[in-house]
Every structure is written in structure tokens, then in C-alpha cells.
């Protein structure tokens, strides 16, 4: 079987994507070919785009919704005609066969590679471990962002921290992932849910997703504001959980400072700061705040998610109206506008999540 596709390629040493026509005709035994409906434009991909040390062309993207049109000979999980969700967290990591990263060979012999998957194109060819059958009724807006933004943000709250009703939460960064963390906290019954950002438009959107309070860190000391909002019966102040969705190293000691301390001699440990965004560089912490407050610093990759289990939950949130993916998708583009989408994200003009919709 051959498939004519248009795929975004990031040439080595360049920062602008090229949309190339390619005929896909060689599929591995565990590969799945997906005709795309829509895919998300994730901030983590900017790290690849603006890394000029790259020596090979790359394929990007790791969250999308589409329809299977072909499968390799060893694929048993899906078949042509199935609607699927693509993600970058393996669906079956304990099966013993490591998933194989995707790559595409172009007519001139050039090979473009990935770290795991690619979704930026009309079609994707990915290891079957990176696809999840879409639950019935999954809307395209949800499917386009479930495989990274929703999984990472809401998953951090639900899985990494296991937030319970009545616990207090602060989320640093009200972009796409942060909004999903805010929504997850609100759905799980956290209170208060405090959104921290420097953009009033994003903070306004955060309230739509369940933030009970907002703090503009440009105008207000966020630690002081959060402590004012979170007075506990035991005399401590601060949130039970802070989620740093920015990946900015200087923010991390600040979000840690906003976490409630423990009480020595009473057996009460402090809260936790959860790293959700990817730190771009090493960062420093106030070690005495961490130690004396008996606080915790938790790492979180992909919301600690099990895609096959958790995607069902996220779709259920959408079915019953607790989560509105169309409100999260604030910016829509065509494939030919992908570089415009990347620049909008890089410059901070995307309030929620940018999505590329595939025609046809």
C-alpha cells in the first residue's frame, strides 16, 4: 500500500518548517498509518525547533486524532477504520518490546527522524504502542489535545499528586497545560484553585476552567497572595500542591515557597511542588525551605498517565460537561499555516492551545 501525504519537516540547522509531499510505502510490522483529523501544537516542540545544534532533519508533533488506514503485519490492537488518538507515552510499556521511534525517508534519500512519534502532517506513521483507540464520541477538539496537553496537565493533578477534594492547589502558568491542570483540580474538588500567570487574558480564561482565584505575578507577590488565600486550621499557610507548568527555573523556588509547610513534632508533613513543565536549564532551590518545611518536590512526565486508562476518563469529563475542549482550543490553523502557529506560540499569543485542522 502507498499513501500520498504532506508532512512537516524541520531541516537540520533551520528554524522554519517545510511542508513536503511524500509517498509513504514502507511500513514496519508494528507500525500504524493514521490519516489525521487534527493535531495540537505543543510548546515542548519549540525546544526542537530552536535548537540549532540539530544535525539531522526532524519530524515533530505528538498529540492528534485520526483514522487508521493501514497496519503492519504484527499489529493486533487496531485495524483500518478505527479512530485513534496518538500520544507520546507508550500504551503498553511493560509488554517487553520497546516502541520504535518513527522516521520517514524522502525521495532524495534524506531520512527525517523523531524522538518517538510525529503528528505534524496529513498522515502519521507511528509504533502501535503510541496509539489509543478513541472512546466513542471523542470530539476532534478533545482528540487533538488529549495526547499531551490534557494528559500532562490534568494527569499531574490526578495521578502524580493524587489531589483530593478539599485540598488547595496553585498552578503556575495558565497556558494549555496549565489550564488542563486547573480543570483537573476543579473537577476533583480542590479548593481553592489559584492560577498564577503574568497575562490577564490567560488568567481570565483560567477562571472559565475552574480557577477560584487568580494572581498576576507581574503586579502581585504570588507567594504572599497564596498564603493569604490559604489559612489552615493548624495555623499553616500555603497550598497543599503547587503545579509548575512553566518550565522556567526561576519560578520553581517561588512555587515551592507557596506550598504549606509541615509541623515538626506533630507528624504533619508539608505539601508538594510538582514539576510539570520541562525546565530548560538547571535551577536553584531554597534548600532550607524544602528541608525545614518538610516539603516535597515531585517530577512528573506526561501526567504520570496510563493512556488507555486515563483517556477514557478525560472523554467522560467531556461527555458530562465537566471539561470543554473547544474552550481550550483558542487558536486554529491549517497545515500550510503551521509556521504561523509556531510563531504565535513562541511569542506568547496563544491563550490556550493551538490546533491544526486537516481538511478533507
Amino acid at each position: 500500500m502507498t499513501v500520498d501525504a504532506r508532512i512537516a519537516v524541520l531541516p537540520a540547522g533551520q528554524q522554519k518548517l517545510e511542508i513536503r509531499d511524500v509517498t509513504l510505502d514502507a511500513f514496519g510490522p508494528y507500525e500504524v498509518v493514521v490519516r489525521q483529523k487534527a493535531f495540537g501544537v505543543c510548546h515542548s516542540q519549540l525546544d526542537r525547533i530552536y535548537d540549532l545544534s540539530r544535525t539531522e532533519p526532524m519530524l515533530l508533533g505528538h498529540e492528534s486524532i485520526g483514522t487508521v488506514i493501514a497496519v503492519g503485519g504484527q499489529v493486533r490492537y487496531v485495524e483500518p477504520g478505527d479512530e485513534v488518538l496518538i500520544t507520546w507515552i507508550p500504551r503498553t510499556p511493560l509488554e517487553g518490546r520497546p516502541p520504535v521511534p518513527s522516521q520517514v525517508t524522502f525521495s532524495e534519500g534524506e531520512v527525517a527522524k523523531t524522538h518517538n512519534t510525529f503528528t505534524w502532517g496529513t498522515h502519521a506513521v507511528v509504533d502501535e504502542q503510541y496509539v489509543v483507540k478513541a472512546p466513542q464520541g471523542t470530539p476532534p477538539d478533545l482528540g487533538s489535545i488529549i495526547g499531551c496537553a490534557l494528559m500532562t496537565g490534568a494527569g499531574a493533578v490526578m495521578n502524580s499528586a493524587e489531589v483530593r477534594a478539599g485540598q488547595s492547589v496553585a498552578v503556575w502558568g495558565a497556558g494549555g497545560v496549565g489550564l488542563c491542570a486547573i480543570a483537573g483540580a476543579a473537577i476533583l474538588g480542590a479548593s481553592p484553585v489559584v492560577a498564577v500567570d503574568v497575562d490577564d487574558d490567560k488568567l481570565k480564561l483560567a477562571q472559565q476552567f475552574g480557577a477560584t482565584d487568580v494572581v498576576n505575578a507581574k503586579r502581585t507577590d504570588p507567594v504572599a497572595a497564596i498564603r493569604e488565600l490559604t489559612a489552615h486550621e493548624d495555623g499553616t499557610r500555603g497550598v497543599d500542591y503547587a503545579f509548575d507548568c512553566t518550565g522556567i527555573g526561576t519560578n520553581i523556588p517561588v512555587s515551592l515557597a507557596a506550598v504549606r509547610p509541615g509541623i515538626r513534632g506533630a507528624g504533619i508533613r508539608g505539601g508538594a511542588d510538582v514539576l510539570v513543565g520541562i525546565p530548560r536549564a538547571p535551577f536553584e532551590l531554597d534548600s532550607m525551605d524544602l528541608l525545614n518545611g518538610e516539603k516535597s518536590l515531585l517530577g512528573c512526565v506526561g501526567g504520570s498517565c496510563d493512556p488507555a486508562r486515563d483517556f477514557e476518563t478525560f472523554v467522560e469529563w467531556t461527555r458530562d460537561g465537566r471539561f470543554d475542549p473547544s474552550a481550550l482550543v483558542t487558536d486554529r490553523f491549517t497545515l500550510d499555516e503551521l509556521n504561523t502557529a509556531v510563531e504565535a506560540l513562541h511569542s506568547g499569543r496563544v491563550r490556550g492551545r493551538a490546533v491544526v485542522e486537516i481538511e478533507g
Side-chain angles (χ1 to χ4, degrees):
M1 177 182 181
T2 61
V3 177
D4 292 328
R6 300 181 71 223
I7 294 174
V9 181
L10 182 64
Q14 296 187 30
Q15 296 179 347
K16 187 174 182 179
L17 295 152
E18 297 177 356
I19 309 298
R20 297 186 187 176
D21 295 321
V22 60
T23 298
L24 305 171
D25 58 5
F27 311 123
Y30 294 100
E31 288 188 320
V32 176
V33 185
V34 178
R35 183 175 63 246
Q36 306 269 69
K37 291 183 179 178
F39 60 80
V41 182
C42 175
H43 201 280
S44 67
Q45 304 297 277
L46 299 184
D47 294 339
R48 315 297 184 197
I49 293 173
Y50 295 103
D51 176 12
L52 294 181
S53 68
R54 289 177 291 102
T55 59
E56 297 179 308
M58 290 195 69
L59 306 175
L60 300 174
H62 52 211
E63 58 176 351
S64 72
I65 184 172
T67 302
V68 175
I69 59 173
V71 298
Q74 297 298 316
V75 175
R76 301 290 180 265
Y77 174 64
V78 292
E79 60 186 24
D82 286 345
E83 187 170 69
V84 295
L85 309 166
I86 296 179
T87 182
W88 55 280
I89 295 291
R91 174 178 44 80
T92 52
L94 301 180
E95 282 193 352
R97 179 188 67 81
V100 178
S102 304
Q103 63 180 44
V104 170
T105 302
F106 294 92
S107 58
E108 64 276 15
E110 184 181 43
V111 178
K113 298 182 179 181
T114 70
H115 285 277
N116 35 52
T117 68
F118 74 93
T119 59
W120 289 6
T122 59
H123 296 74
V125 182
V126 300
D127 191 293
E128 61 95 18
Q129 288 200 39
Y130 293 122
V131 299
V132 176
K133 290 181 181 177
Q136 186 174 4
T138 302
D141 279 349
L142 178 66
S144 65
I145 54 89
I146 197 171
C148 184
L150 184 54
M151 174 179 75
T152 300
V157 176
M158 182 171 67
N159 298 319
S160 305
E162 298 182 339
V163 169
R164 301 186 303 276
Q167 291 184 315
S168 52
V169 163
V171 177
W172 255 255
V177 172
L179 290 172
C180 291
I182 290 164
I187 289 168
L188 293 175
S191 181
V193 179
V194 186
V196 181
D197 205 289
V198 296
D199 186 312
D200 284 333
D201 286 340
K202 291 183 178 181
L203 290 172
K204 184 177 180 180
L205 187 58
Q207 292 177 304
Q208 186 175 335
F209 279 84
T212 59
D213 300 272
V214 298
V215 176
N216 187 313
K218 270 187 177 180
R219 297 194 297 267
T220 304
D221 178 347
V223 175
I226 287 170
R227 287 175 177 167
E228 184 68 24
L229 291 166
T230 52
H232 302 281
E233 292 182 358
D234 59 15
T236 61
R237 289 179 178 271
V239 287
D240 294 300
Y241 293 99
F243 295 87
D244 195 296
C245 299
T246 69
I248 300 172
T250 53
N251 283 343
I252 296 169
V254 180
S255 56
L256 179 66
V259 171
R260 68 187 297 184
I263 301 178
R264 283 175 286 181
I268 300 175
R269 288 188 55 80
D273 193 12
V274 185
L275 299 189
V276 183
I278 302 171
R280 270 69 181 177
F283 57 88
E284 295 183 355
L285 288 177
D286 181 345
S287 57
M288 297 309 294
D289 182 31
L290 185 68
L291 179 67
N292 285 335
E294 291 195 343
K295 300 178 182 182
S296 300
L297 185 66
L298 304 179
C300 162
V301 177
S304 308
C305 273
D306 174 341
R309 177 198 66 201
D310 295 336
F311 286 10
E312 287 275 1
T313 298
F314 299 147
V315 173
E316 184 61 32
W317 288 358
T318 302
R319 286 197 195 106
D320 64 20
R322 286 181 288 173
F323 180 77
D324 182 4
S326 63
L328 185 69
V329 178
T330 55
D331 298 78
R332 301 174 189 272
F333 300 88
T334 66
L335 183 58
D336 288 322
E337 296 171 329
L338 183 53
N339 280 302
T340 303
V342 168
E343 174 55 31
L345 183 62
H346 181 57
S347 63
R349 298 197 307 273
V350 176
R351 292 172 64 225
R353 198 62 156 183
V355 164
V356 171
E357 299 170 316
I358 305 299
E359 299 178 358

